[in-house]
Each structure stands twice: as structure tokens, then as C-alpha cells.
Amino acid sequence: MIGSKTKFGFGTADPVDTGLVAESWGLVSTREHLEPPNALRGTRSRFAGNVIEGPERVAGPIEFIPGDTTLAAILGWCGFTLSTATWSLTEALTSRYLEAYRVSDRQKISGAYVDGVTIRMPKGGLWSWGLDVIGQQETIPGSGSFPSLTFPIEKGFALHKTTFTYGGTAYKVSDVTISIRHFLDAELANDDYASLIDATDRVIGVQLSLPYTSDAASDLLRPSVAGASGVFATTDGTNTYTFTMPKLQFPRGAVPINGRGRQFLQLSGTARASSAANDELTIVKS
């Protein structure tokens, strides 16, 4: 069998109603075997009858190279809420049903939440969105067929079509990583699966690599501890998405000197709330 992109169904209910395409799919269901450590003294053998099946754990990564259609579908799952054309962070995360096509069978996941999102914009390439997913239960239907869905064919976004401003000043950037972590607590309790999944925190990180210039060094190596507005805007030629962080804070840094090549500033910062809860990051489509 030759692996390729994964087509899967996505929705707030079962049966799923939205078709998406993932670059890679790593969601798996595992159940460990539980065995009393001293079930039978006097022998080194371990007997099968002492073993019970442990609770189900469903987790794994899904990676996208999303265009406009896919973004519209997954942003609400990643912890945002839409008002007109603005996606804002929300306190309450929502789960999704997922159903992946598996050649001769199907994999269905219920109660799937996004624990973390990693957005990578490498130089010379398309951006990618990696989602770390925690689910509740997996089923492999023994009958029926995969839902009839339409799957998007769309353009992606790239770093060379992205601008970055900090404190109102535009800078050249070589690569960008934005990460959102919700720190999900998957509680097994007295169920044989994670029946309670709750977000306990949220941290938004930004990693930048910038070609060294005197202006960039003076502004970004010794920034104010109060932070400043950081804005990324990227386009596919038709749609533009603008990521705004009103209080993007970079701690003091240094410039690594590596031989005769171009020198880069390596910055790692945190986007924090400014004047109200949940305003660390907004995404506006135009």
C-alpha cells in the first residue's frame, strides 16, 4: 500500500458533514494490559488469566497545509470563535467527530479536542498547521460506507507572502513558528476512556528568525518588558489572514555568531493578554 494524504470527515455530530484533507494523520487508540505485579509468587511465569485490558487512550497528530476552506473549518476547533470576519480566542473548547478513510475500513473518533496547534512558516515553503489531538473513543465500523463528502482543493499560504510588524515597524523574517497550547487534562475517572477533557491553561508562543540588521538588533534584542503589538499578515493572492498579538513580549537575547555566514536573530516570545481576557491573539480574514 502506498501512503498519501488522508481524506477524512469532520463535524460537530455523527455522521460528519465536512470533508478535509490532512497531510498526515497519526491518531491512534491504545489500551495497555494491566497485570498485578505479584499475582503469583513462587514462579517467574506470568499467566494470561491475570491480565485485564486497561482504559482506552486516543491521541495523536494531524497536520494540514491549509487554505481558506480548511482554515474556516478548523479554527473553531482550535479554540477560536468567529464574529463577522474576526476569529477570537474563547475559554471553552469544543469537540469534533472525525472519520478517516482507511482503504478497506473506516476509523471513527468521538470527542476529539485540540490540545495544541503549531503553525510553521518556513522560508521558501508553504505554511503548515500541526494539531495535537486528544480524543475519547475510537470505533472501527464493521458495516456501512464512508460519507459522501466534498474535499477541498485549495492554495496554501507561504512565508514569502507574509509581512511582520512589531511596534509598528516592519521587519524581514526568515521563518516563523506560532504555537498555541491548551494543556488539556484528560480524566479517565471510573470510565474506560477519557470521559472528561478540560483545558487548564493557555500559552501562545512565537519563535522568529530574522536576518541581523542594526535596527532589528536595537529594537528586538532589548525590547521593553511591557511588549508591543506583533502583526503577521499572509495572503494566498485572494484571501488575507492577519494575526494580531497586542502584547507580544520578547525577553532579552543575543546574536549567535556562526562562521562567515549571514547572522540571524533568534527570538522566542510570548503573546499575552492586553486589556481583556482572551485577547492574546485575533485572526482577521479580509
Side-chain angles (χ1 to χ4, degrees):
M1 183 177 71
I2 298 175
S4 62
K5 297 182 180 181
T6 299
K7 293 181 178 180
F8 72 98
F10 174 90
T12 57
D14 186 16
V16 293
D17 57 6
T18 301
L20 295 177
V21 178
E23 293 298 305
S24 62
W25 174 282
L27 271 177
V28 294
S29 171
T30 60
R31 284 182 182 267
E32 63 180 318
H33 285 172
L34 303 181
E35 176 183 9
N38 296 303
L40 186 63
R41 296 182 181 274
T43 177
R44 288 185 288 118
S45 297
R46 294 174 177 265
F47 291 95
N50 296 333
V51 177
I52 64 171
E53 189 173 58
E56 181 178 16
R57 301 176 188 272
V58 181
I62 304 176
E63 184 171 355
F64 299 93
I65 296 180
D68 180 59
T69 301
T70 299
L71 280 178
I74 67 174
L75 277 171
W77 189 31
C78 293
F80 292 83
T81 184
L82 178 64
S83 176
T84 311
T86 300
W87 292 93
S88 303
L89 289 164
T90 181
E91 287 289 329
L93 299 182
T94 55
S95 66
R96 295 293 188 271
Y97 289 86
L98 310 177
E99 183 169 346
Y101 177 65
R102 286 290 188 233
V103 185
S104 60
D105 57 30
R106 295 171 290 148
Q107 178 191 27
K108 299 181 72 171
I109 305 292
S110 62
Y113 291 84
V114 173
D115 187 25
V117 185
T118 303
I119 306 165
R120 296 184 177 90
M121 303 181 195
K123 59 183 176 183
L126 293 169
W127 73 352
S128 67
W129 287 51
L131 275 56
D132 296 319
V133 178
I134 295 177
Q136 292 183 322
Q137 292 184 292
E138 176 200 62
T139 56
I140 306 295
S143 61
S145 59
F146 191 78
S148 177
L149 301 171
T150 300
F151 298 95
I153 299 175
E154 52 190 348
K155 294 184 292 185
F157 296 79
L159 182 65
H160 64 274
K161 293 182 177 293
T162 300
T163 60
F164 169 61
T165 59
Y166 185 71
T169 301
Y171 297 94
K172 300 290 187 182
V173 289
S174 293
D175 57 69
V176 178
T177 300
I178 301 172
S179 60
I180 305 170
R181 293 287 173 264
H182 296 297
F183 299 94
L184 295 184
D185 177 20
E187 180 61 54
L188 295 168
N190 60 326
D191 297 296
D192 69 345
Y193 65 95
S195 56
L196 301 173
I197 299 179
D198 298 293
T200 63
D201 199 355
R202 181 172 58 224
V203 173
I204 300 176
V206 177
Q207 289 75 46
L208 298 176
S209 178
L210 303 89
Y212 179 89
T213 65
S214 58
D215 289 340
S218 62
D219 293 342
L220 298 174
L221 285 180
R222 296 293 184 267
S224 167
V225 69
S229 174
V231 180
F232 297 90
T234 187
T235 181
D236 64 359
T238 303
N239 306 288
T240 297
Y241 282 83
T242 302
F243 295 67
T244 300
M245 298 166 236
K247 289 296 181 182
L248 179 55
Q249 297 173 312
F250 292 108
R252 289 193 173 196
V255 183
I257 306 300
N258 300 313
R260 296 177 181 271
R262 184 182 295 277
Q263 308 306 315
F264 289 86
L265 303 180
Q266 306 290 342
L267 302 177
S268 180
T270 303
R272 293 189 168 91
S274 174
S275 58
N278 304 318
D279 73 352
E280 301 100 302
L281 171 63
T282 58
I283 303 174
V284 178
K285 175 187 173 182
S286 58

